[in-house]
Amino acid sequence: MSYARLVLSACTKDQFPQGMTKALPPRYMTQALVQHYLNNVFVLLPVFEEASFYGSVENLYFKDSHKADPLDYWMVHLVLAISYASKSESRGDQDYLEGIGHVCAALQHAEDVLHPGALSSVQALVLLTEYAMLDPHHLDSWSLIGVASRAMVDLGLHQDPQKGATMARGKLDLRRRVFHCVYALDRSTSLVQTRAFSFSDDSAKVKVPFTRTPAQQHQPQMHGNGTPKGWLQSHDQALELITLRRMQSQWYTDLFQSGRARFDEPYQYVWNTCDTMRKWFENLAPSTSQSMRAFFELDLLYSYVYVLSPSPRVPVINPFAAKLIFEYCIRYADLMLRLIHDPAYTAPLTFYDAMRVYMTGRQFLDVLQNHTDVLLNGQVPPHPEVRPATAPPPPMPVVPLPPGDNLMHFNTQRSALCIKQFTECLSRFGIRWGYMSWNQRYQVETASMAEQLNNRLREMDQAAGVRRPSMWTHSSSAGSIHSSSGSVVYSSPQSMPPGPAAYRQPSVTLWNMTSYDSQAQQNNPPQHRYSGDRFSQPPMQPTFELQPQHQLFQQPSGQTFNFNPQPQCPTSQTNAHTPPFQQFAGWSGYTGPSVPDTLDEENAVPPNANPWAIGER
């Protein structure tokens, strides 16, 4: 049993099909696929040097004059596989099959590439992990990043060499970039699966090898003949991702992994954490593309909800925090749905996004069930008092009230639309990765609340003597990313008026930060407590009352955004690889058996599982 066979045996879920090995495509196709990878994946995880990678490409296409080694084949084929898989729209389409073919071609060289004690082996595992995040049926990304982390620690990459040690600058930078790529993947995997990190922040001390590009150097570099050097990528986005993962690692450790004792002043910590992340987003590098800015905003909103939710350190959340979760979840669902329907959004969407959507949707349902009246009335409860030196609480985002509407009706419709948007996202991701059970389960879980919201809307419409649709529907044509003269822009239909074709930042941090009358809050708002208990499953199927069209709100210029229904994705799909989605505890602060990326009966969470147990590799 070799090291390579051991790793692949432990990290493979479904065996790759036989006879699907793909040969290298024509050079022009390879160039386009490589550029797609560099522009959208490599800018976040630069695990190799561009020059050395292009050397591998040359070795494969000019075999007469260069000798290609197994690592060249592995690197090029996996980059092609990742590019194809990232373009796939549904499991089984041509791009998906092309990706599998190139992975099969790369795995033929596993024995020569995957071996302990080599930095190139860690790089190879990182690339395989990136592919696993796009193809969760064949490879287990959790196991792969665990293997990569242990191999990285064995090589000592988690510590910079001692001062005075002799090491070439290029080799030192490569060690550092490999470490931070492993770090970023390990943190994102652990957060989305609510598991322990492979190594702690205290055990690692590695300098970031990247610096922010000065503003005057944002122009593309050129060859001597005047053509742009398209393969030279800025490392600004990688630096921003490392910064974000460090912040997430800190608060995840403090809130979920460092003990069960409650904080004496929990919101002193929570407000400081939210303020740190807000400042990070507001100060993103000027070179950040519009797609990458939207990518980071999705992660920011997800982090806000994660931090504000119940945890062992903050088991009871304040009604003000529940209101913030409500607003951030609505913003997250709206932004995610618009981006996944927009072909101009090229930042990577992985299987982790499906897990994030499900967990955020469950958190939205949780706060809505526990704080229904406060959230629908539009009241903003007073925020908890903290020490003056603490950062102020996040300002409450407020969406302009449509003319002629009232807060109760408006927020009830927003809530119904949010549930619908989460359902559509899960449906789209279900088609893409072949896990329709996630969508089915969420519809069952939200059926009771969806019916309650529709009943409220009916009663309010009858009392007002008007006839309005009981639930909004969505169209990706409103507020989407779009391409105009080669530039990509995106805007928020819920917060920004129509304007010129330029980027209008829709971040919740820049919304109209006004607030409603905080004196109108209820005397005894419901308390949302941390609990390891599972959510009960409603006995009925959801009933969404969809209308052909509804005016969302009127913009100052007179433009109306109309939301048209999207065709419904199939709600059932049975095959040997898609067993029923296992029941697990709600996301609200849950640190036990996590959202699986394997979805198999063997790893199903037992009904009496310890909610405080941390998953082990």
Side-chain angles (χ1 to χ4, degrees):
M1 175 65 73
S2 66
Y3 177 78
R5 294 182 63 184
L6 179 64
V7 169
L8 294 178
S9 175
C11 301
T12 300
K13 293 190 281 188
D14 292 345
Q15 292 295 327
F16 285 98
Q18 299 293 326
M20 288 192 63
T21 302
K22 291 288 184 180
L24 289 173
R27 179 62 183 269
Y28 72 92
M29 292 181 61
T30 296
Q31 182 61 39
L33 291 166
V34 167
Q35 198 62 51
H36 176 80
Y37 174 86
L38 294 177
N39 292 342
N40 300 289
V41 181
F42 180 83
V43 293
L44 294 170
L45 298 167
V47 72
F48 51 73
E49 294 178 337
E50 292 163 277
S52 64
F53 176 76
Y54 271 98
S56 298
V57 174
E58 295 298 319
N59 290 344
L60 296 187
Y61 278 92
F62 296 95
K63 299 178 183 178
D64 294 338
S65 56
H66 298 279
K67 183 179 179 181
D69 59 28
L71 184 61
D72 293 333
Y73 284 97
W74 181 280
M75 302 287 280
V76 175
H77 277 293
L78 267 181
V79 165
L80 295 178
I82 294 168
S83 294
Y84 274 120
S86 66
K87 293 182 176 183
S88 173
E89 295 293 332
S90 63
R91 186 179 180 223
D93 64 11
Q94 187 59 36
D95 287 330
Y96 178 81
L97 297 177
E98 291 286 341
I100 288 180
H102 284 288
V103 172
C104 292
L107 291 178
Q108 292 179 339
H109 305 276
E111 291 289 345
D112 298 313
V113 173
L114 299 179
H115 48 80
L119 181 62
S120 60
S121 179
V122 182
Q123 293 175 291
L125 288 169
V126 168
L127 287 177
L128 204 58
T129 304
E130 292 176 1
Y131 176 80
M133 294 163 62
L134 298 166
D135 182 8
H137 287 272
H138 291 102
L139 294 169
D140 181 10
S141 59
W142 164 258
S143 299
L144 281 170
I145 194 58
V147 173
S149 298
R150 288 190 288 273
M152 179 268 299
V153 173
D154 287 343
L155 288 171
L157 304 184
H158 63 302
Q159 292 285 335
D160 272 343
Q162 295 182 355
K163 292 183 178 180
T166 303
M167 182 175 292
R169 180 68 181 180
K171 183 178 179 180
L172 179 60
D173 286 346
L174 183 60
R175 285 170 51 98
R176 289 171 171 172
R177 71 164 64 201
V178 170
F179 165 80
H180 285 291
C181 287
V182 173
Y183 178 89
L185 286 173
D186 181 75
R187 267 40 185 175
S188 61
T189 303
S190 296
L191 258 69
V192 80
Q193 299 192 32
T194 61
R195 297 187 180 186
F197 296 141
S198 299
F199 54 93
S200 67
D201 287 354
D202 292 338
S203 67
K205 186 178 181 182
V206 180
K207 184 179 179 180
V208 179
F210 314 121
T211 56
R212 178 173 289 191
T213 305
Q216 62 272 19
Q217 297 183 14
H218 286 158
Q219 297 299 323
Q221 301 186 44
M222 312 295 286
H223 288 289
N225 58 6
T227 59
K229 295 181 179 179
W231 52 271
L232 287 178
Q233 299 292 329
S234 168
H235 291 143
D236 289 349
Q237 278 68 58
L239 181 60
E240 302 295 357
L241 183 66
I242 293 170
T243 304
L244 175 62
R245 294 292 181 252
R246 282 179 168 178
M247 292 186 293
Q248 291 174 332
S249 180
Q250 183 64 51
W251 56 251
Y252 184 71
T253 300
D254 292 341
L255 293 175
F256 295 92
Q257 293 191 336
S258 61
R260 303 184 186 182
R262 298 186 181 187
F263 285 151
D264 294 332
E265 295 186 43
Y267 287 97
Q268 179 180 0
Y269 181 88
V270 172
W271 297 157
N272 282 330
T273 301
C274 291
D275 188 63
T276 301
M277 292 190 294
R278 176 188 60 81
K279 291 178 179 178
W280 160 81
F281 183 76
E282 290 179 347
N283 292 281
L284 288 177
S287 62
T288 305
S289 67
Q290 312 310 318
S291 285
M292 285 298 168
R293 190 173 291 272
F295 169 85
F296 284 129
E297 184 175 359
L298 284 174
D299 220 327
L300 175 71
L301 293 168
Y302 169 74
S303 299
Y304 278 159
V305 174
Y306 215 135
V307 170
L308 292 166
S309 300
S311 65
R313 295 292 196 169
V314 192
V316 180
I317 65 172
N318 184 273
F320 183 82
K323 176 66 174 176
L324 285 173
I325 293 173
F326 175 81
E327 295 293 342
Y328 292 151
C329 287
I330 290 178
R331 174 62 188 149
Y332 180 88
D334 176 73
L335 180 58
M336 175 63 81
L337 188 58
R338 288 188 285 117
L339 294 179
I340 64 177
H341 279 88
D342 199 315
Y345 179 70
T346 58
L349 282 172
T350 69
F351 186 62
Y352 289 1
D353 289 287
M355 289 189 278
R356 292 187 186 104
V357 166
Y358 183 85
M359 292 190 292
T360 308
R362 286 303 308 267
Q363 187 60 33
F364 177 77
L365 176 63
D366 197 25
V367 296
L368 196 58
Q369 289 174 333
N370 286 277
H371 303 266
T372 304
D373 293 333
V374 173
L375 297 178
L376 297 185
N377 287 337
Q379 303 168 358
V380 177
H383 58 78
E385 296 295 335
V386 294
R387 296 177 182 177
T390 306
M396 185 64 64
V398 176
V399 180
L401 184 68
D405 208 346
N406 60 72
L407 287 177
M408 175 66 79
H409 188 274
F410 181 55
N411 285 324
T412 304
Q413 283 191 316
R414 293 174 68 212
S415 302
L417 173 62
C418 186
I419 292 176
K420 176 65 167 58
Q421 289 175 324
F422 276 122
T423 304
E424 285 194 47
C425 288
L426 290 172
S427 179
R428 180 67 177 265
F429 285 141
I431 291 177
R432 183 166 184 177
W433 283 294
Y435 288 133
M436 292 304 301
S437 53
W438 290 47
N439 178 35
Q440 297 168 13
R441 183 171 181 82
Y442 188 72
Q443 290 189 57
V444 171
E445 291 165 342
T446 56
S448 178
M449 178 56 66
E451 184 178 15
Q452 179 182 343
L453 294 172
N454 280 328
N455 290 337
R456 284 174 175 258
L457 289 171
R458 253 188 240 105
E459 294 172 358
M460 287 184 283
D461 289 344
Q462 292 174 358
V466 297
R467 186 176 182 179
R468 289 181 285 198
S470 59
M471 174 172 282
W472 293 342
T473 52
H474 182 272
S475 171
S476 61
S477 61
S480 61
I481 287 187
H482 60 278
S483 179
S484 174
S485 302
S487 61
V488 177
V489 299
Y490 80 106
S491 59
S492 170
Q494 287 192 345
S495 59
M496 308 299 288
Y503 172 69
R504 299 190 296 273
Q505 191 175 21
S507 169
V508 293
T509 59
L510 296 184
W511 285 8
N512 177 23
M513 301 302 182
T514 59
S515 62
Y516 300 116
D517 183 9
S518 61
Q519 300 300 321
Q521 71 273 8
Q522 292 185 347
N523 293 330
N524 297 305
Q527 294 295 311
H528 183 185
R529 295 180 179 274
Y530 174 85
S531 174
D533 298 335
R534 303 178 185 279
F535 286 94
S536 60
Q537 180 170 308
M540 63 185 69
Q541 292 292 331
T543 55
F544 292 120
E545 299 186 4
L546 305 181
Q547 299 296 330
Q549 195 174 49
H550 176 67
Q551 178 175 316
L552 175 60
F553 59 87
Q554 193 74 20
Q555 293 284 8
S557 66
Q559 177 180 354
T560 301
F561 289 103
N562 292 321
F563 287 74
N564 300 319
Q566 295 288 336
Q568 290 299 305
C569 301
T571 57
S572 65
Q573 177 173 326
T574 57
N575 57 63
H577 306 297
T578 313
F581 185 82
Q582 53 182 279
Q583 183 173 349
F584 58 96
W587 178 52
S588 304
Y590 182 68
T591 60
S594 58
V595 178
D597 61 359
T598 53
L599 302 190
D600 55 354
E601 297 296 342
E602 180 182 354
N603 295 324
V605 180
N608 59 350
N610 178 8
W612 291 101
I614 297 296
E616 297 180 356
R617 298 199 186 282

